[in-house]
Amino acid sequence: MPIKIPEQLPARPILEGENIFVMTENRANRQDIRPLEIGIVNLMPTKIATETQLLRVLGNSPLQVNITLLRAEGHESRNTSHQHLERFYSTFSQVRHRTFDGMIITGAPVEQLRFEDVDYWDELVNIMDYALSNVHSTLYICWGAQAGLHHHFGIAKHALPAKLFGVFPHRVTTPNHKLFRGFDDVFMAPHSRHTEVRREDIANCDALEILAESDQAGVLVAGTRDGRNLFVTGHLEYDRETLDAEYRRDVDKGLPIAVPSGYYPGDDPARTPIMSWRAHAHLFYANWLNYIVYQETPYQLDAIVREQAPAS
């Protein structure tokens, strides 16, 4: 089954050109099926690129998925047109009466700021609190994962001596977890961040378990034991060219940046990057949609209830 998106969303022709099964709203409305309702809180400045990346991995599933794109109401985007935001995005105040099967909260390029100094922090806190009682499973990505771990469990983020940048091997530390069904013993995932959450802080939190990690990149995936809050410190959704674009942007700005590790053949930026994480990225999101969301969420969405926040 496909992912349902607005007919004029810029991601549609890109995904169709990649043979990703998408469905327009008109066709989906004629189907007699209860689709999954997934909200995407897109905090990235390059919103169209992030939409396309997430829709690509969410669309590779046998389930029909309705997407609601959400933006921070208290933040003015300088990289995405006002027309695009008005046409395709809702604000939290417009959807807070609804419930969702799943929600994704993306990263944002604000990781070197204190959480409380981010101009939409209070709004994001409201969204994260809302998700506890109105969303069956919430997937936090990169800075979003750091924000969720900080808010829900008081886990601090720490500055790294140099940017963690590249594609690194990981291992599943909870092999029987349904999120990692079908995974190989070792799988690759991109990272791009200046900060980290430390393994020992997560391991010392009884409410959390470490699900996948790397010797070089640290914890990749952690989650609450019921699967309703999942924290991904890397970027399985990234395209082949994403790290390349970040690298060239920083070089052009004269910023200190190393060649992304394990990314270019022979570490040569003149060569086409190797995409070594695509299959596991699709499998990860398909597993999340199927085993964590679809198999567990109540058929009647208004039956989703969370009585209290996760306890550390």
Side-chain angles (χ1 to χ4, degrees):
M1 293 296 289
I3 186 169
K4 186 185 107 176
I5 60 175
E7 189 164 357
Q8 300 304 316
L9 193 72
R12 181 191 171 198
I14 298 172
L15 298 175
E16 288 180 335
E18 297 174 5
N19 202 28
I20 301 294
F21 191 9
V22 297
M23 179 183 288
T24 62
E25 291 172 319
N26 288 336
R27 180 178 174 187
N29 289 337
R30 296 195 297 268
Q31 302 237 331
D32 185 18
I33 190 172
R34 201 301 234 164
L36 294 178
E37 297 291 341
I38 304 294
I40 298 177
V41 183
N42 189 354
L43 303 176
M44 289 294 288
T46 53
K47 286 187 168 38
I48 294 175
T50 303
E51 294 158 17
T52 305
Q53 290 168 2
L54 288 171
L55 294 175
R56 179 181 290 114
V57 289
L58 291 172
N60 192 34
S61 164
L63 305 169
Q64 184 171 322
V65 180
N66 286 351
I67 294 297
T68 299
L69 295 170
L70 301 168
R71 61 182 174 88
E73 193 167 12
H75 177 77
E76 182 177 350
S77 177
R78 292 175 293 184
N79 297 277
T80 306
S81 72
H82 178 74
Q83 291 82 357
H84 182 85
L85 296 176
E86 287 296 314
R87 185 170 188 179
F88 298 114
Y89 279 76
S90 300
T91 61
F92 174 54
S93 61
Q94 292 172 321
V95 303
R96 63 184 311 155
H97 63 284
R98 294 176 52 187
T99 50
F100 291 90
D101 297 293
M103 178 171 282
I104 297 172
I105 298 178
T106 75
V110 293
E111 58 177 312
Q112 293 174 293
L113 295 176
R114 292 175 60 249
F115 290 114
E116 293 76 13
D117 291 338
V118 176
D119 60 3
Y120 51 80
W121 176 250
D122 289 343
E123 182 180 0
L124 182 58
V125 165
N126 288 335
I127 292 172
M128 292 189 289
D129 287 343
Y130 152 92
L132 294 177
S133 57
N134 294 275
V135 179
H136 182 71
S137 180
T138 304
L139 187 63
Y140 298 81
I141 299 174
C142 198
W143 179 83
Q146 296 180 348
L149 288 167
H150 167 74
H151 176 61
H152 292 311
F153 304 103
I155 292 176
K157 66 181 171 77
H158 301 271
L160 291 166
K163 184 177 183 179
L164 182 68
F165 192 41
V167 183
F168 302 94
H170 298 75
R171 62 188 177 277
V172 178
T173 53
T174 310
N176 293 327
H177 197 284
K178 51 194 172 184
L179 190 60
F180 293 97
R181 285 177 178 165
F183 266 62
D184 295 320
D185 291 339
V186 176
F187 66 98
M188 309 300 289
H191 289 262
S192 177
R193 49 187 167 85
H194 294 273
T195 56
E196 67 172 352
V197 287
R198 292 178 177 165
R199 186 189 196 283
E200 57 267 29
D201 293 337
I202 298 173
N204 288 333
C205 180
D206 291 339
L208 296 170
E209 56 182 338
I210 296 170
L211 304 178
E213 61 185 334
S214 164
D215 291 337
Q216 298 98 322
V219 173
L220 174 67
V221 185
T224 53
R225 298 181 187 279
D226 59 5
R228 295 187 68 170
N229 290 274
L230 296 162
F231 307 93
V232 183
T233 66
H235 286 283
L236 280 162
E237 80 284 358
Y238 266 6
D239 295 332
R240 179 193 304 273
E241 298 84 6
T242 307
L243 293 179
D244 179 67
E246 291 183 14
Y247 172 71
R248 297 184 189 282
R249 176 200 64 197
D250 288 355
V251 169
D252 289 344
K253 290 181 177 180
L255 299 175
I257 185 66
V259 172
S261 175
Y263 182 55
Y264 300 112
D267 291 330
D268 181 359
R271 301 177 67 182
T272 302
I274 298 171
M275 189 166 190
S276 56
W277 64 94
R278 179 190 287 117
H280 285 100
H282 283 284
L283 183 56
F284 178 86
Y285 279 90
N287 284 348
W288 177 64
L289 283 175
N290 184 19
Y291 298 117
I292 307 294
V293 180
Y294 175 71
Q295 300 291 344
E296 302 292 339
T297 193
Y299 186 84
Q300 297 296 332
L301 263 176
D302 56 9
I304 294 175
V305 174
R306 175 75 67 83
E307 295 182 353
Q308 61 182 11
S312 59

